[in-house]
């Protein structure tokens, strides 16, 4: 029986990223090398009058973007001021692992993010202190799976990349090696004329 080919990003992780991280960080055990554990895509539509329609649109479009059917998320408690009832469906969420996770990340990094107008990289400070990174997307049309002429409303969502890294620095290095375009590119030293001891830097 023919087996499915491994996702390109996973192959790149095994063949290039793992050796690069091991060399840069000096990991002695291969099990210490950080990896991506799961990716969670979450959208909240709130409790407005058209929340049911918005929820269905969110579920449909997240399924198109990720290739996996999402589940509804519900309110944990009632809030009268927002006309929110405990147990009311207010959003959609999908958790990606394995093949489908790597395929989604590959599309996100190489295709979707570069389609953002005036894109200059993703924020480098959106780590949670435990090696996990959350990216906010305000416009689903950056994903080629979404047909522009069929968009009924903008559906914003968060993409959380959960890693096994122990620190934010480790997680950032992992994502950088995988191609995540962070906005704070490393700065390179610039040669100064002789006699000046200061070190100048210029943006990469």
């Amino acid at each position: 029986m023919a087996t499915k080919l491994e996702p390109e990003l996973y192959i790149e992780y095994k063949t290039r990223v793992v050796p690069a991280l091991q060399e840069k960080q000096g990991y002695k055990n291969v099990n210490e090398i950080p990896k991506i554990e799961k990716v969670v895509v979450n959208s909240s539509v709130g409790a407005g009058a058209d929340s049911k329609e918005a929820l269905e649109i969110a579920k449909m479009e997240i399924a198109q973007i990720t290739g996996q059917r999402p589940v509804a998320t519900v309110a944990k408690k009632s809030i009268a001021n927002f006309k929110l009832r405990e147990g009311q469906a207010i959003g959609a969420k999908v958790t990606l692992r394995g093949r489908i996770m790597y395929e989604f990340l590959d599309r996100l990094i190489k295709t979707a993010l570069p389609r953002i107008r005036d894109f200059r990289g993703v924020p480098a400070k959106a780590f949670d202190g435990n090696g996990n990174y959350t990216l906010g997307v305000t416009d689903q049309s950056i994903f080629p799976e979404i047909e522009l002429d069929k968009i009924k409303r903008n559906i914003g969502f968060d993409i959380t990349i959960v890693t096994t890294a122990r620190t934010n620095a480790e997680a950032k290095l992992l994502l950088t090696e995988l191609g995540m375009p962070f906005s704070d590119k490393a700065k390179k030293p610039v040669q100064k004329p002789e006699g000046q001891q200061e070190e100048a830097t210029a943006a990469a």
Side-chain angles (χ1 to χ4, degrees):
M1 180 182 294
T3 57
K4 292 183 178 180
L5 295 175
E6 293 179 326
E8 287 185 13
L9 192 62
Y10 179 60
I11 294 174
E12 187 175 353
Y13 170 74
K14 291 195 303 181
T15 59
R16 186 188 63 77
V17 175
V18 166
L21 292 176
Q22 195 159 19
E23 180 180 353
K24 290 179 179 180
Q25 299 295 97
Y27 297 113
K28 296 180 180 179
N29 189 322
V30 69
N31 294 321
E32 292 180 286
I33 302 174
K35 61 183 178 182
I36 298 175
E37 197 168 48
K38 62 183 177 180
V39 173
V40 180
V41 181
N42 179 62
S43 177
S44 177
V45 299
D50 62 345
S51 60
K52 287 186 178 180
E53 180 185 1
L55 178 59
E56 289 307 309
I57 293 174
K59 289 167 69 175
M60 179 184 67
E61 296 195 339
I62 288 177
Q64 286 181 296
I65 290 168
T66 65
Q68 183 171 308
R69 186 186 298 276
V71 298
T73 55
V74 299
K76 295 182 179 179
K77 61 180 180 179
S78 299
I79 303 177
N81 290 344
F82 294 99
K83 298 181 180 179
L84 190 64
R85 303 186 310 277
E86 182 180 355
Q88 180 179 349
I90 56 172
K93 180 178 76 171
V94 65
T95 301
L96 309 175
R97 302 177 189 271
R99 162 183 287 278
I100 199 168
M101 173 186 78
Y102 278 103
E103 290 175 343
F104 170 74
L105 281 177
D106 198 28
R107 295 195 307 274
L108 172 69
I109 294 170
K110 298 178 182 177
T111 305
L113 291 178
R115 290 172 55 139
I116 297 175
R117 179 174 296 181
D118 299 324
F119 181 65
R120 297 182 181 179
V122 298
K125 297 182 179 181
F127 290 90
D128 67 353
N130 296 307
N132 306 314
Y133 181 76
T134 297
L135 171 67
V137 174
T138 58
D139 183 1
Q140 74 271 36
S141 68
I142 65 172
F143 289 92
E145 294 84 1
I146 301 298
E147 297 181 48
L148 297 180
D149 59 346
K150 292 185 178 180
I151 295 178
K152 295 182 178 179
R153 60 183 294 165
N154 277 350
I155 301 295
F157 47 86
D158 292 328
I159 300 171
T160 300
I161 303 172
V162 180
T163 79
T164 61
R166 293 166 296 185
T167 66
N168 288 347
E170 278 188 323
K172 186 182 177 187
L173 183 57
L174 166 64
L175 295 181
T176 299
E177 289 292 341
L178 286 170
M180 185 66 76
F182 289 105
S183 57
D184 65 335
K185 293 181 179 179
K187 294 185 177 182
K188 298 179 181 179
V190 174
Q191 292 292 333
K192 297 284 284 185
E194 291 185 8
Q196 295 186 25
Q197 300 300 319
E198 298 178 79
E199 183 185 55
T201 59

